[in-house]
Amino acid sequence: MTESELPGQRLARGVCRHLAGRGFATLTEFVPEAGLRVDVIALGPKGEIWIVECKSSRMDFVSDRKWTGYLAWCDRFFWAVDADFPGEILPEETGLILADGFDGELVRWPPETPLAGARRKALVQRFARTAALRLGVLIDPDLARFSRL
């Protein structure tokens, strides 16, 4: 953990570690469509897609007016918060993960709302391309000049 790391980034790291333990591949700061950017998207071993929004404070949650737009892009939607977050303000029909910079614990399951096949296919392709492009930039930082990340 670095001193420059923001609270939401610490939560995202713990969430990604937790989901990796469940067999999921994760990406942070993912754009499912123009105008939306989710904190964590996870692709499960059976092709399921989960979105996790990390909230570090009450104000962070209250000021988020786009989260309902994420519901159309996942099979399950979760919030990730730390142990000090006032969890009672989160909608009960959404999932909940308690997290810190090291791990997470799934404490409330949301209902499953399966994606349509065409949307799932497009989203999995975007997930794969984004992951491959990010990996490519790690191998060759100059690649970023030539790709659309």
Side-chain angles (χ1 to χ4, degrees):
M1 191 172 343
T2 66
E3 288 186 25
S4 63
E5 189 175 49
L6 298 172
Q9 292 170 321
R10 281 192 295 276
L11 289 171
R13 185 179 56 240
V15 164
C16 290
R17 289 176 174 184
H18 175 75
L19 293 176
R22 290 179 170 271
F24 283 76
T26 59
L27 290 172
T28 59
E29 301 296 322
F30 179 80
V31 178
E33 75 169 350
L36 296 178
R37 186 181 69 208
V38 303
D39 293 331
V40 177
I41 189 165
L43 178 60
K46 296 179 182 174
E48 62 268 45
I49 296 173
W50 294 0
I51 288 177
V52 184
E53 279 299 291
C54 301
K55 296 300 169 195
S56 58
S57 68
R58 176 187 290 270
M59 183 55 69
D60 188 14
F61 170 72
V62 171
S63 65
D64 186 342
R65 303 200 191 290
K66 292 193 284 185
W67 74 269
T68 56
Y70 304 150
L71 300 176
W73 295 95
C74 60
D75 298 306
R76 294 186 193 268
F77 179 86
F78 297 84
W79 299 104
V81 299
D82 67 19
D84 295 327
F85 188 92
E88 67 276 359
I89 68 172
L90 299 172
E92 288 187 24
E93 67 277 7
T94 57
L96 179 61
I97 297 172
L98 288 182
D100 58 24
F102 302 99
D103 202 353
E105 178 185 357
L106 202 158
V107 296
R108 184 173 69 213
W109 284 88
E112 184 175 24
T113 53
L115 289 169
R119 176 160 286 188
R120 180 180 311 283
K121 179 181 178 186
L123 196 53
V124 169
Q125 287 176 335
R126 182 174 287 202
F127 185 102
R129 287 185 46 77
T130 300
L133 289 169
R134 289 182 185 179
L135 179 60
V137 169
L138 286 176
I139 295 167
D140 176 7
D142 288 335
L143 187 63
R145 295 184 329 190
F146 302 100
S147 65
R148 294 185 307 152
L149 276 177

